Amino acid sequence: MKLSLAIAGENALPTAFVVFRGFAESMRKAAALGYDGVELALKHPDEIGRDELASLLAEHKLEVSCISSGQVYAALGYAFTDSDPARRSELASIFRGFIDLAADFGKTVNIGRVRGPIKGKKREEAEALFIDMARELCAYAAPKGVTLILEPVNRYEIDFINSVDEGVALLRKAGIANLKLMPDVFHMNIEDAEIGATLERNIADVAYVHLADSNRHAPGDGHTDFDDIFGALGRAGYKGWCTVEILPLPDPDTAARRASEFLRPYFRR
Ligand code: LER
Ligand code: MN
């Protein structure tokens, strides 16, 4: 397993759940704190230049774990469940840019809140719109070796795909080889009956994990049982990325440091 930290550009909204903003400074700090990689929370693929990114990664000996897309929904309002053809095509174009970037950096693009809400639609209609967009983008991503990962998100942020079981059921319906699951233990603490057992049971679909404590503070600062989580991931033989996606509290440096200090021992076992 490798440990990553979610970061964003300088102007990211508070709804980007990252401790550090500004790519260069964030990467310097992440490396100094012992993280192996960074997850880039982007609203557009041009937000960071490829050359600048490559040189920052080399300088700090970091990898990109994932390109995450929550801001495409939170800041720009695009969604996989939108039925408007013009907006769907703009969203697909942003995602093709993310996939092109991920082809060289990390091979993974997340679908979190950007899967969109059900809202006034029938559930079957929202699912069909989601699967249609996922199928088109995964077909574009497959020859580039890129995987898209669907993140169940709690009911207070979105009304569609809240639990891991719902996420897995939708993956089964879609049947797309490079569409996998990104469980986030913060959302699982709200939506899933058990965290460790659910991860272990669904490990074949788990391609990536988001970490935060029960209060979305640094792991160790709430009441989530990380022995349960890492015990399950260890038994299941999980070898992928675990990424810290937390609020910058009590302040960004303290949050990122506490998370690294608390989690590192699990990564040495
Ligand atoms: C949102 O709460 C979240 O966890 C992100 O990773 C998905 O947009
Ligand atoms: Mn998350």
Side-chain angles (χ1 to χ4, degrees), residues 6 17 39 68 110 112-113 151-153 157 182-187 208-212 216 243-246:
F17 299 110
E39 174 181 310
S68 62
N110 125 295
R113 288 164 290 176
E151 179 180 12
V153 168
E157 292 182 43
M182 176 202 247
D184 178 327
V185 301
F186 170 75
H187 301 303
Y208 195 99
V209 177
H210 266 170
L211 299 176
R216 216 161 205 176
T243 294
V244 172
E245 186 196 45
I246 56 176

Side-chain angles (χ1 to χ4, degrees), residues 63-261:
E63 292 176 62
V64 171
S65 57
C66 175
I67 309 292
S68 62
S69 57
Q71 291 300 291
V72 177
Y73 176 70
L76 307 176
Y78 291 113
F80 280 42
T81 54
D82 196 332
S83 44
D84 179 68
R87 293 186 62 77
R88 289 179 76 73
S89 123
E90 286 158 24
L91 171 60
S93 155
I94 294 175
F95 259 74
R96 281 194 297 273
F98 286 162
I99 291 163
D100 290 342
L101 191 61
D104 291 328
F105 302 98
K107 303 276 187 207
T108 310
V109 178
N110 125 295
I111 308 169
R113 288 164 290 176
V114 75
R115 103 283 241 99
I118 301 178
K119 239 150 109 190
K121 301 187 174 66
K122 291 204 171 77
R123 186 180 183 94
E124 304 76 57
E125 192 190 343
E127 281 189 359
L129 287 162
F130 171 82
I131 291 174
D132 184 60
M133 179 68 78
R135 200 178 297 294
E136 175 188 331
L137 293 172
C138 286
Y140 181 79
K144 299 169 190 275
V146 173
T147 298
L148 271 66
I149 49 176
L150 173 62
E151 179 180 12
V153 168
N154 80 75
R155 68 191 69 182
Y156 304 108
E157 292 182 43
I158 204 105
D159 66 357
F160 182 38
I161 319 171
N162 306 122
S163 67
V164 163
D165 285 341
E166 276 177 88
V168 169
L170 195 57
L171 291 191
R172 290 290 94 77
K173 261 190 206 172
I176 303 170
N178 60 331
L179 181 63
K180 297 282 198 185
L181 204 70
M182 176 202 247
D184 178 327
V185 301
F186 170 75
H187 301 303
M188 289 185 78
N189 177 59
I190 298 170
E191 297 293 346
D192 293 273
E194 302 169 296
I195 302 185
T198 306
L199 290 171
E200 199 171 348
R201 179 161 43 82
N202 292 293
I203 203 70
D205 290 302
V206 173
Y208 195 99
V209 177
H210 266 170
L211 299 176
D213 216 318
S214 51
N215 45 9
R216 216 161 205 176
H217 291 216
D221 285 2
H223 59 73
T224 292
D225 181 353
F226 285 91
D227 284 345
D228 167 53
I229 291 168
F230 286 104
L233 292 175
R235 282 191 301 278
Y238 179 73
K239 297 272 187 294
W241 285 99
C242 294
T243 294
V244 172
E245 186 196 45
I246 56 176
L247 297 168
L249 297 170
D251 62 78
D253 292 309
T254 306
R257 180 178 48 76
R258 278 197 200 159
S260 171
E261 284 173 0

